[in-house]
C-alpha cells in the first residue's frame, strides 16, 4: 500500500485529465480500514459527484470509495491502475 501513496492523475480512455488525486498515508476519517484522499479543485463534475474520500488496496486492486457506498476498483497495469471497464486510468503524476 505504501507504494501507492502520492500524487496521481485520473484520465479517461482518450487521455483527458479528469482529476488530480493525492492518495494520502493517513486514516480515512469515515472508514476504518481505508486511507484518506484529497481531490484537486479542478476535478470534472463526474468525478466530484462520486464524492471520493477514501482508498485502500484489496488484494492487488486499488479501491476508491466515495459517498453513498460508491466503490470503484482498479487493477494494476504497466503504468498505474486501470478500471475494470478500461474507461479510466490512474497513473502517477508526471508519467
Amino acid at each position: 500500500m505504501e507504494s501507492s501513496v502520492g500524487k496521481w492523475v485520473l484520465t479517461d480512455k482518450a487521455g483527458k485529465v479528469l482529476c488530480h488525486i493525492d492518495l494520502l498515508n493517513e486514516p480515512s476519517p469515515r472508514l476504518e480500514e481505508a486511507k484518506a484522499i484529497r481531490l484537486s479543485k479542478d476535478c470534472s463534475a463526474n468525478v466530484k459527484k462520486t464524492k471520493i474520500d477514501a482508498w485502500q488496496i484489496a488484494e492487488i486492486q486499488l479501491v476508491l470509495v466515495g459517498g453513498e457506498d460508491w466503490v470503484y476498483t482498479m487493477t494494476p497495469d504497466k503504468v498505474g491502475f486501470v478500471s475494470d471497464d478500461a474507461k479510466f486510468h490512474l497513473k502517477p503524476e508526471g508519467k
Side-chain angles (χ1 to χ4, degrees):
M1 185 178 320
E2 295 283 327
S3 63
S4 300
V5 172
K7 296 183 179 296
W8 294 81
V9 179
L10 181 67
T11 62
D12 66 12
K13 192 173 184 176
K16 178 183 174 191
V17 174
L18 301 174
C19 192
H20 290 82
I21 297 174
D22 289 331
L23 299 182
L24 305 173
N25 192 20
E26 55 191 58
S28 164
R30 190 172 63 90
L31 300 170
E32 212 170 282
E33 296 184 23
K35 300 285 186 180
I37 283 183
R38 182 181 313 126
L39 302 180
S40 64
K41 302 249 186 265
D42 62 348
C43 290
S44 73
N46 287 339
V47 174
K48 285 180 185 176
K49 75 179 179 184
T50 63
K51 298 180 182 163
I52 299 169
D53 64 356
W55 70 280
Q56 65 187 61
I57 300 291
E59 296 185 21
I60 65 166
Q61 292 185 312
L62 171 69
V63 180
L64 302 176
V65 184
E68 298 174 25
D69 299 325
W70 183 88
V71 176
Y72 205 75
T73 58
M74 302 186 89
T75 303
D77 69 358
K78 290 182 247 170
V79 179
F81 295 91
V82 63
S83 62
D84 295 337
D85 58 8
K87 289 184 179 180
F88 304 100
H89 283 90
L90 189 66
K91 53 189 173 187
E93 198 169 89
K95 291 195 177 188

